[in-house]
Amino acid sequence: MMDKCSSCGAETPRSTTGVTHAYLDASPGCWARYGEVLAREYSNAQYFAVHAITVDAYAIQHPGTEGPQTINSVNLHLASLYGYYQNHVEIGQLSQFKSDLTKRKEQFRWLPPPQDLGSITINNIWQADTAEQHCELVLQWGEIVFNCWREYHSYIKEICS
Ligand SMILES: [Zn+2]
C-alpha cells in the first residue's frame, strides 16, 4: 500500500505508525522519510552540512493551514532560504539568522501557499547514495521550493531588512 503526501506529492509506503507533525501538513509516510533523512544528517557530519536547508525546505513544502505556529514557521523558514540563496548568509549562520528574526514576529503574516510546491521531494533526498549527492540535492530542493514562493520574495526581503 502506498500513500501520497497531500502537500509535496511524494508517494511512500503506508506508514504503520501513523505519526505526523503537529502543524506541518505531511502524510505519515512522508514524515517518516523525513525522519530517516534527518537521522542520516545527525549521524554524519558530511550530510549534516546542509541540515538547515533540509529543515527549511521541508517546512515550506508542507506549510499547513493558517494559525499562529504555521505563520511563524512559514515566515522563518522562508526567510532562512532567502538568507542563504539571496542574502549570502552561510548555512552555519542560518539558525542565528532565524533567531534574530523571531524578535520581529509581530510583523509576520500568513502567506497563502502557492499551488506548486516543487518537483523535488523528500523521496529524492532519501534516495541519495552519497553525502555529496545528498548535499547537492538538498541545495537544489531548497532553491526550487524557495522559488515556488517567489510572489513573497519581496515581502520576505522586507521582513529581513
Ligand atoms: Zn510530503
Side-chain angles (χ1 to χ4, degrees):
M1 287 292 277
M2 298 293 280
D3 269 337
K4 189 171 179 181
C5 178
S6 61
S7 287
C8 72
E11 293 197 5
T12 56
R14 179 156 291 179
S15 163
T16 49
T17 66
V19 174
T20 185
H21 189 268
Y23 55 85
L24 296 182
D25 182 20
S27 71
C30 179
W31 182 248
R33 289 235 155 134
Y34 177 57
E36 289 177 43
V37 166
L38 291 185
R40 261 181 229 166
E41 291 184 343
Y42 287 128
S43 61
N44 183 321
Q46 287 178 286
Y47 283 78
F48 192 78
V50 292
H51 174 67
I53 304 293
T54 303
V55 173
D56 293 331
Y58 193 83
I60 64 162
Q61 201 172 41
H62 299 83
T65 52
E66 182 172 359
Q69 291 165 313
T70 51
I71 289 174
N72 280 341
S73 170
V74 167
N75 279 260
L76 285 174
H77 292 294
L78 200 56
S80 180
L81 293 177
Y82 162 78
Y84 179 71
Y85 290 103
Q86 295 196 347
N87 204 27
H88 313 291
V89 181
E90 287 173 29
I91 294 180
Q93 302 300 319
L94 288 174
S95 78
Q96 186 60 48
F97 184 73
K98 275 180 278 202
S99 142
D100 291 344
L101 263 185
T102 56
K103 292 170 199 144
R104 304 191 203 163
K105 68 180 178 185
E106 70 283 355
Q107 292 177 49
F108 293 173
R109 62 176 174 88
W110 175 241
L111 309 174
Q115 284 290 317
D116 175 16
L117 286 164
S119 51
I120 290 188
T121 71
I122 197 66
N123 273 347
N124 302 94
I125 311 302
W126 183 78
Q127 283 157 3
D129 290 322
T130 63
E132 287 77 6
Q133 212 178 17
H134 172 82
C135 293
E136 197 178 306
L137 279 166
V138 167
L139 294 181
Q140 283 175 18
W141 183 36
E143 188 164 28
I144 286 171
V145 184
F146 177 65
N147 284 329
C148 288
W149 290 77
R150 67 179 74 74
E151 65 180 294
Y152 302 113
H153 286 186
S154 55
Y155 160 79
I156 282 296
K157 188 177 175 183
E158 228 169 272
I159 290 281
C160 296
S161 61

